[in-house]
Amino acid sequence: MTLIAVVGATGTGKSEFALDVAEAIAARGGRAEVVNADAMQLYRGMDIGTAKLAPHERRGVPHHLLDVLDVTDEASVAAYQLQARAAITAIRERGAVPLLVGGSGLYVSAVLYEFEFPGTDAEVRARLEAELERDGRGALHRRLRELDAPTAEAVGPHNARRIVRALEVIEVTGEPAAARLPDEPVPWTRHETVRLHVDRDELVPRLDARVERMWRDGIVDEVRGLIPQGIERGVTASRAIGYAQAIAEVHERMPREDAIAETQALTRRYARRQVGWFRRYADTTVLDATDADARAEQVHRLATLD
């Protein structure tokens, strides 16, 4: 069974498109199952801010790697790679089609392509974390850019955890390129990738409206429920876009309008990075997510793959 990957920027409708494909496969007598590739949807209780489909919205299609981490756990792409590949293998063994769905570029690429993650060094990591607290992420990102500009560009200046990890890998291995995926990746398995695209002048209003909807739907109340569970101690969860701002609002460090505006700005920036990431590989079909006829054509094509 060909692994089908549905990728793209946030707000492009990946989940709904993947379910359309799953239903088309079922209409032909087959079965499909979804493997989540959104790093924040791994977390239990982080539903509103991640646009996680509720069980009743999944159209009866099995979903894997949702709600597998506590908010105090640190997400690890190396661990995810093992879990996602195991899930995909098991889906195939059941005679079903695996659908890898999400917008976390490194997570998607770690599954689709051969990539071995370098080990960690607790002493180096602790020192870099201390430097992060003392000097700020801007200083560490500038250092990363001097050592390895392509990795610095891919990571971005705002993801402190990934900046620290990239610097750790470079220091441990002595090889800047070890902190990034190869320019010409080798596929892990047979796969077909579809990238959903929405023109930026249409995507930006979608993203802004989505953030406003997150607040209307109760992300602040969701965060209030997650604080006793330790979200503020979570290295990854506490820094998630929308959640960091909602935490600040709960503690009255940021008024609601500022929390929403900052989340919108960060979401737009994140979407730009996602687009840049998924442009990297040529073996991808780009689909205009707003074109109903093109969507239907791609759904049919994917449903008929061997």
Side-chain angles (χ1 to χ4, degrees), residues 127-137 139-140 143:
R127 173 165 49 75
L128 289 168
E129 291 282 2
E131 291 179 22
L132 175 67
E133 288 293 322
R134 185 185 70 238
D135 302 330
R137 63 175 181 252
L140 267 65
R143 186 193 310 172

Side-chain angles (χ1 to χ4, degrees), residues 17-18 32 47 50 64 70 76 91 96 153 174 179 214 224 247 251:
F17 178 78
D47 303 332
T50 65
H64 305 275
D70 292 327
S76 162
I91 290 168
E153 177 66 22
M214 285 161 46
R224 286 194 179 99
I247 290 170
H251 292 303

Side-chain angles (χ1 to χ4, degrees), residues 130-182:
E131 291 179 22
L132 175 67
E133 288 293 322
R134 185 185 70 238
D135 302 330
R137 63 175 181 252
L140 267 65
H141 189 259
R142 285 192 292 274
R143 186 193 310 172
L144 178 59
R145 190 167 59 237
E146 291 171 359
L147 293 170
D148 184 0
T151 296
E153 177 66 22
V155 168
H158 303 285
N159 193 327
R161 186 176 64 87
R162 285 189 59 197
I163 293 170
V164 167
R165 174 58 178 156
L167 289 170
E168 178 192 11
V169 168
I170 291 170
E171 185 165 340
V172 169
T173 65
E175 299 177 7
R180 64 179 186 267
L181 288 167

Side-chain angles (χ1 to χ4, degrees), residues 173-295:
T173 65
E175 299 177 7
R180 64 179 186 267
L181 288 167
D183 291 332
E184 297 193 15
V186 177
W188 166 64
T189 187
R190 184 179 64 185
H191 67 270
E192 181 81 17
T193 303
V194 174
R195 172 166 65 88
L196 272 61
H197 173 76
V198 175
D199 287 340
R200 187 157 183 82
D201 59 355
E202 183 171 345
L203 181 60
V204 167
R206 279 194 190 192
L207 297 178
D208 288 348
R210 178 174 176 170
V211 171
E212 291 170 357
R213 188 164 57 252
M214 285 161 46
W215 257 258
R216 288 198 305 272
D217 289 347
I219 189 174
V220 174
D221 288 335
E222 183 173 81
V223 163
R224 286 194 179 99
L226 292 172
I227 287 175
Q229 298 178 37
I231 188 172
E232 292 170 295
R233 300 194 307 274
V235 174
T236 308
S238 67
R239 297 172 180 169
I241 295 173
Y243 287 90
Q245 291 71 34
I247 290 170
E249 180 181 336
V250 167
H251 292 303
E252 299 183 348
R253 297 194 299 265
M254 185 179 292
R256 172 161 297 194
E257 57 270 22
D258 290 353
I260 291 173
E262 182 171 291
T263 302
Q264 290 172 326
L266 291 172
T267 300
R268 293 193 295 268
R269 192 174 299 145
Y270 177 56
R272 282 199 300 271
R273 291 204 304 275
Q274 288 175 300
V275 170
W277 183 282
F278 291 120
R279 278 178 178 157
R280 298 174 66 182
Y281 303 126
D283 58 341
T284 298
T285 298
V286 180
L287 170 63
D288 180 353
T290 65
D291 186 330
D293 291 338
R295 285 175 63 100

